[in-house]
Amino acid sequence: MASSSERLGMPAAGTDNDDQDGPGGSGGPPGRLARLAPVLTGLTAFVCLLGWVQKRPCASANFDFIKTTTNACYTDIYPLYYVRGLNDGKVPYFDTFSGSDIHYVEYPVLSGGFMQLAAWLVKPFGLDERGMAFYNVTVLLLAVLAVVAVLATAYAAGRRSLRTGLMVALSPALLLTAYINWDLLAVALTALALAAWSARRPALAGTLLGLAIAAKFYPLLLLGPLVLLCIRVGQWRALGRVLAGTAGAWLLVNLPVMLFAWEGWKEFYTFSQKRGVDWGSIFFYLQDHGLEKTVSDTGTLNLLGTGTFLALAACIAVLAFTAPRRPRLPQLMFLVLVAFMLPNKVWSPQYVLWLLPLAVLARPKIPAFVVWQAGEIAYFFGIWWFLLSVSAQTPGADLSDTVSAVLSFDAPAAGISEDVYHLALLARFVTVLALAALVVWDILRPSGDLVRADGVDDPAGGVLDGAPDLISVGRWRGARHTSVPVASQAS
């Protein structure tokens, strides 16, 4: 068991301060990450370059929709530069645009600010060149954010920084989806927040998490695991600091837009409320299998999705207090995010980036990770080839013809059928669900947790790392915790 000084993040007597400065401890101090940083940075940059190359067939055709679906290289970045009026100098949230039911930029404020930054950076280019320049500048900025996300994830992993960093950096999901949208902004900020928390800096972690929420909604859900685990160990002060930092940073970014562009600010929330079933949602499959009337009503759809998430979240809360040993923070964060995504009415291809850092921190085992990535690859190509058949109004290839085309390293000429697309959708759904089930199994049987196998507790846990339980079912029953030794990562 860690000493009280270690649980408070203070160096114990006779120890070197460098070994206490982060989650790595003697097995993986920040100095180790510094040595790994050039390797991880280089590999991430190389994968990001490959991601840019993967989009080149579409870029050379100005992202013509048929070309993008055939070559599976779609991006929102180029078309939204024009559709959201950035090419005309319109400012997100303050200026309206016409041509659709959406009248303002439909992203949270920090993402809109990121779009505006790229639009300002390309002003020196000629009018005919600005669209592609906007795309390329945005890609460069997103690649930098990808490097940040990898390094921050590696830092939070402690002694297994190399393995986790490589799993994120070399993932097919990063290569294929990094440039579909602006999600890497929130992903990088969330990873930085987790790294700051692991370094026992809750106020900074909260600030970064507040910025992440200002860029995308999903990081808000990660506060739930923090609250649950801080309650279990009685870390009230750290919890207060992270919540205060989160609220303060979010308000700092959002309040000016709320005050001076209210209609534009609320577009994201009203748009999210009114959206129907998205192509990637499990409800898209269910509507063709007996639930068409149920999911066709937006109110019912919202209630069904939210209710299912809340039920799953309640189960995770029970797990947080009944597990034989306190779950690690990334484990609960991953489970909460999966619980949100599985019953969601929207599940875009790039949402895999949300899960990626948390998945490798929660369970850094290669086999299940590879299976999950295979499911994501199947869905990535499936969605674009299905949209190809929809746009061309053709039946699309059946499973046999699709497999033949893939084995020939080609795309089905007229896309794929809806039945084949359903298989791709279910491949992603089932592999994510299976990975979550394995994380639950590790929580219930902590002796099989790879991270804890060498005696550490929770490298990303910060003040939770090595802390004794204050509230748990096992404590109430006087039960003895698992025989796996609990050791602070800093010890």
Side-chain angles (χ1 to χ4, degrees):
M1 178 68 69
S3 67
S4 59
S5 61
E6 289 169 329
R7 292 198 297 270
L8 292 173
M10 299 167 57
T15 60
D16 188 283
N17 286 340
D18 290 341
D19 287 347
Q20 305 297 326
D21 201 27
S26 59
R32 170 177 166 78
L33 180 60
R35 292 191 295 273
L36 294 176
V39 175
L40 294 176
T41 299
L43 289 174
T44 306
F46 179 68
V47 170
C48 287
L49 177 63
L50 292 180
W52 180 80
V53 171
Q54 193 266 336
K55 297 287 189 289
R56 286 306 301 161
C58 301
S60 62
N62 289 324
F63 293 99
D64 172 78
F65 189 72
I66 298 299
K67 293 286 187 181
T68 60
T69 50
T70 302
N71 293 289
C73 48
Y74 176 82
T75 178
D76 286 325
I77 296 169
Y78 179 85
L80 289 188
Y81 175 70
Y82 295 99
V83 176
R84 297 299 178 256
L86 295 170
N87 63 311
D88 293 326
K90 293 186 181 294
V91 178
Y93 315 111
F94 290 87
D95 295 327
T96 62
F97 45 81
S98 58
S100 70
D101 295 334
I102 302 172
H103 302 295
Y104 298 91
V105 167
E106 71 281 22
Y107 296 102
V109 169
L110 202 60
S111 290
F114 189 78
M115 296 165 67
Q116 182 62 64
L117 172 63
W120 281 334
L121 291 174
V122 301
K123 278 190 175 181
F125 291 85
L127 289 176
D128 295 337
E129 301 171 333
R130 285 181 188 171
M132 198 57 64
F134 178 80
Y135 166 74
N136 286 321
V137 166
T138 302
V139 163
L140 180 60
L141 294 174
L142 291 174
V144 172
L145 290 171
V147 172
V148 170
V150 169
L151 294 179
T153 303
Y155 180 87
R159 297 178 184 177
R160 298 190 180 276
S161 54
L162 179 60
R163 174 191 286 256
T164 54
L166 290 176
M167 289 174 74
V168 178
L170 300 179
S171 66
L174 179 63
L175 189 156
L176 295 172
T177 68
Y179 309 134
I180 293 178
N181 203 278
W182 292 268
D183 293 66
L184 274 173
L185 175 60
V187 172
L189 287 169
T190 302
L192 284 172
L194 190 56
W197 177 265
S198 70
R200 305 182 184 231
R201 301 184 67 182
L204 177 60
T207 300
L208 291 165
L209 192 59
L211 294 176
I213 298 168
K216 211 77 178 178
F217 173 80
Y218 84 88
L220 176 65
L221 304 172
L222 305 182
L223 286 172
L226 274 170
V227 171
L228 293 172
L229 295 179
C230 283
I231 290 174
R232 178 161 174 166
V233 301
Q235 285 287 352
W236 311 109
R237 187 177 180 182
L239 178 59
R241 286 183 174 182
V242 74
L243 292 178
T246 300
W250 186 88
L251 283 172
L252 182 65
V253 173
N254 281 269
L255 199 55
V257 183
M258 293 169 68
L259 291 175
F260 299 106
W262 174 257
E263 292 298 322
W265 177 83
K266 71 176 185 178
E267 182 73 37
F268 164 71
Y269 302 96
T270 56
F271 173 69
S272 300
Q273 185 81 11
K274 295 176 182 177
R275 289 185 77 170
V277 176
D278 181 71
W279 305 100
S281 170
I282 189 62
F283 292 116
F284 184 82
Y285 171 82
L286 294 176
Q287 71 181 358
D288 292 332
H289 293 80
L291 287 182
E292 182 177 3
K293 292 183 179 180
T294 302
V295 302
S296 61
D297 178 71
T298 304
T300 304
L301 179 64
N302 290 338
L303 183 62
L304 189 58
T306 303
T308 304
F309 165 65
L310 291 176
L312 292 172
C315 294
I316 293 170
V318 171
L319 180 65
F321 290 105
T322 59
R325 181 172 172 184
R326 173 180 40 79
R328 290 187 292 107
L329 180 60
Q331 290 176 319
L332 282 197
M333 285 184 165
F334 176 75
L335 291 179
V336 166
L337 200 50
V338 170
F340 174 72
M341 295 171 74
L342 291 180
N344 207 308
K345 63 181 180 180
V346 179
W347 193 347
S348 300
Q350 73 273 13
Y351 288 5
V352 62
L353 297 172
W354 302 2
L355 291 172
L356 190 55
L358 296 175
V360 301
L361 289 170
R363 198 171 194 274
K365 292 185 178 180
I366 303 297
F369 178 82
V370 170
V371 172
W372 169 47
Q373 291 293 287
E376 294 288 351
I377 293 171
Y379 179 75
F380 177 83
F381 287 99
I383 178 60
W384 306 126
W385 291 343
F386 176 59
L387 291 178
L388 174 61
S389 69
V390 171
S391 60
Q393 297 183 335
T394 60
D398 59 18
L399 182 59
S400 176
D401 290 340
T402 300
V403 172
S404 297
V406 171
L407 292 177
S408 300
F409 298 98
D410 201 0
I416 59 176
S417 67
E418 189 167 20
D419 289 339
V420 177
Y421 173 65
H422 284 161
L423 291 176
L425 188 155
L426 290 174
R428 176 176 65 167
F429 187 91
V430 170
T431 52
V432 170
L433 181 61
L435 191 58
L438 289 172
V439 171
V440 172
W441 179 250
D442 286 345
I443 292 174
L444 295 175
R445 194 177 61 92
S447 61
D449 183 355
L450 181 63
V451 174
R452 286 174 162 165
D454 53 2
V456 301
D457 181 33
D458 188 356
V463 296
L464 305 171
D465 184 27
D469 285 341
L470 178 68
I471 300 173
S472 74
V473 171
R475 182 182 179 90
W476 293 336
R477 294 176 180 174
R480 304 181 74 182
H481 287 291
T482 179
S483 59
V484 178
V486 179
S488 170
Q489 181 74 358
S491 60

